[in-house]
Amino acid sequence: MAVTVHAVAVAVAAMGLAASPAAASPAAAVPTAAAAPQLGGACTAADLGTRHPYIKNTEVSPTITHFKGWYVTEGTTGNHTVVTSTETVVTVSVGLTGGVEGSFAVATLEAAKATLGLEVKVEYSSTSSESNTVAWSFNQPGYYGVYKGTKKVTGTYGSLNCIRSQQSDGSWALKWAEGPGGGSFTTYTTLEEGAVRCQDTVPAGSIMAKAQSLLDCGSPAAKAERPAGAVAPTARQEQDRLAQPPAPTGGTSAEQPGVTARGARAALDCQTQVYKIAVPGKPLSWGAPVLASDGVRLRPSTIFSAHLDHWRLCNVTESNGVIEATLWNWGNGGCATIAAPNAATDRAVVMTATCAEDDLQRFFIYRDVPGSPKIGVQNKYTGSMMGHDRYADGEFIRQYSSGRQDGTGTYSLDAV
């Protein structure tokens, strides 16, 4: 049984860094309403540093996790405890992390739950890979499939980001559009157990029907020659077991592949313009560390800042109005990055490191309408948005998988 939900694509016009203030339209600075963002819906400058998942398609597949063929003869009816063998292991995962990391992953599973109307797991869990027992009361003799099973839910998701878009009349507006990032997910419903015979009439597409399909429903006379108890696996069962992929053992620690090994300093093509990445209307800006072990922090700009709060955009590309760039710090010559061991960690601190051709050092920049310097910043490799916990001197810049929903992930890209 498959359920599919299709999303409608939204076209977003491209726009360069420089724009005439006369072309600007006002952008609200208040957070969006509590309603879930919709593809193509309006957003505000406060949303530039956030992202939300949306479900592109789903598939629901009845799946048997444990199974055993069991023959009950005359005189052996009643309660039996059957030790079943593992057929399939289902593990909850979002993206390539092999688990459920951060609020964005949980929100993705919640969105799938709402889309399907099914009670699915929204946290990391896995069906058992060990043999399981099923206690069942057999009222009639016959050949049974004793099983445990679930409905496995798989699908793909996209990332909704607040992106500026040019309207048909030439004006600009902020809208929720599909941004970089996305992937596939797996979850499952509550496990059920039972026993089913070949002659039983069962609902099509049910877990019980899936278990019945694993039975060797041949001649009853041939089955009668078997002693009571376990029946050897059928050829169909062996084929299904061999066809199962191995259980996940981890994987990459981010949603988007493509990170190359760190090596010599990369040759960067940097723009001449220098920027501060500042808190809008307030004096604190992103300041790079002097020590490699420290992280990027909010700092006031003074004559003693030694250009540590000055950034250049390097190796710049643009697609659908979204800038992709490496952030090079003038003060220490390093590039902003998320340390590889912390890539899957929510609230990991932004660092600077030797510049390299590395997606951990690439960032997407979402801009307000022309004339406004407000931006949101997203790491390309992890998909997380940049923000800070509180407004204070020395506060770290961190990554948040869904961004800071209170607007503290919106910064100002101010030319120096």
Side-chain angles (χ1 to χ4, degrees):
M1 177 178 67
V3 182
T4 304
V5 179
H6 292 289
V8 179
V10 175
V12 182
M15 179 67 182
L17 266 175
S20 169
S25 59
V30 295
T32 54
Q38 300 294 320
L39 199 63
C43 55
T44 73
D47 297 311
L48 289 169
T50 68
R51 68 170 182 154
H52 300 268
Y54 77 100
I55 303 304
K56 302 174 83 170
N57 60 73
T58 60
E59 182 174 344
V60 180
S61 305
T63 302
I64 303 302
T65 61
H66 296 81
F67 187 86
K68 176 71 72 174
W70 194 257
Y71 187 62
V72 178
T73 61
E74 291 285 355
T76 64
T77 57
N79 296 327
H80 290 240
T81 298
V82 181
V83 179
T84 61
S85 299
T86 302
E87 286 287 317
T88 305
V89 177
V90 183
T91 301
V92 179
S93 65
V94 178
L96 301 178
T97 62
V100 181
E101 303 287 348
S103 60
F104 184 82
V106 174
T108 299
L109 297 177
E110 291 282 7
K113 175 180 175 180
T115 298
L116 293 169
L118 292 175
E119 286 298 322
V120 299
K121 302 290 183 182
V122 294
E123 69 285 330
Y124 180 77
S125 61
S126 175
T127 62
S128 176
S129 60
E130 306 293 330
S131 297
N132 267 219
T133 59
V134 174
W136 202 257
S137 178
F138 298 90
N139 298 322
Q140 296 179 334
Y143 180 49
Y144 290 84
V146 182
Y147 66 91
K148 286 188 176 181
T150 185
K151 291 180 179 178
K152 179 180 178 180
V153 178
T154 57
T156 60
Y157 64 90
S159 174
L160 287 182
N161 288 83
C162 187
I163 299 173
R164 67 177 179 181
S165 173
Q166 191 167 27
Q167 310 304 292
S168 58
D169 62 359
S171 64
W172 292 82
L174 292 176
K175 291 189 175 182
W176 292 109
E178 184 170 3
S184 60
F185 66 88
T186 300
T187 185
Y188 60 94
T189 60
T190 304
L191 287 168
E192 68 174 57
E193 61 182 39
V196 61
R197 301 178 301 168
C198 292
Q199 63 268 38
D200 291 339
T201 301
V202 299
S206 64
I207 297 172
M208 184 177 288
K210 182 68 175 180
Q212 190 181 58
S213 72
L214 297 178
L215 279 172
D216 182 12
C217 294
S219 165
K223 299 246 184 344
E225 297 175 2
R226 299 180 185 271
V231 179
T234 66
R236 168 68 181 279
Q237 288 171 247
E238 291 292 354
Q239 290 173 0
D240 287 349
R241 190 173 291 120
L242 291 173
Q244 294 300 326
T249 57
T252 63
S253 60
E255 291 183 26
Q256 297 186 25
V259 174
T260 57
R262 292 178 181 270
R265 181 185 299 272
L268 299 177
D269 178 15
C270 296
Q271 296 179 347
T272 57
Q273 180 63 62
V274 178
Y275 295 95
K276 289 182 182 179
I277 305 174
V279 179
K282 296 184 178 181
L284 301 185
S285 304
W286 288 24
V290 176
L291 301 176
S293 58
D294 198 16
V296 176
R297 298 173 181 266
L298 287 178
R299 294 290 193 191
S301 297
T302 69
I303 59 173
F304 304 106
S305 297
H307 301 305
L308 289 170
D309 57 353
H310 289 175
W311 302 86
R312 280 197 173 106
L313 305 185
C314 306
N315 295 356
V316 177
T317 62
E318 185 172 344
S319 177
N320 291 335
V322 179
I323 292 173
E324 179 185 331
T326 298
L327 304 180
W328 178 82
N329 185 264
W330 187 3
N332 69 7
C335 289
T337 188
I338 302 295
N342 301 326
T345 304
D346 225 17
R347 299 184 69 253
V349 172
V350 179
M351 315 287 288
T352 56
T354 300
C355 298
E357 295 297 332
D358 189 335
D359 280 354
L360 281 167
Q361 295 185 5
R362 298 290 284 172
F363 292 84
F364 296 114
I365 298 175
Y366 301 91
R367 293 163 291 167
D368 198 357
V369 296
S372 167
K374 293 179 181 179
I375 62 168
V377 184
Q378 178 183 28
N379 185 267
K380 180 178 182 179
Y381 183 68
T382 69
S384 293
M385 310 299 295
M386 304 302 105
H388 53 274
D389 283 345
R390 64 193 181 97
Y391 176 76
D393 183 6
E395 188 68 20
F396 283 120
I397 304 301
R398 302 177 184 272
Q399 69 167 3
Y400 303 83
S401 60
S402 295
R404 297 284 293 171
Q405 301 300 315
D406 59 359
T408 52
T410 294
Y411 294 100
S412 181
L413 191 66
D414 299 326
V416 177

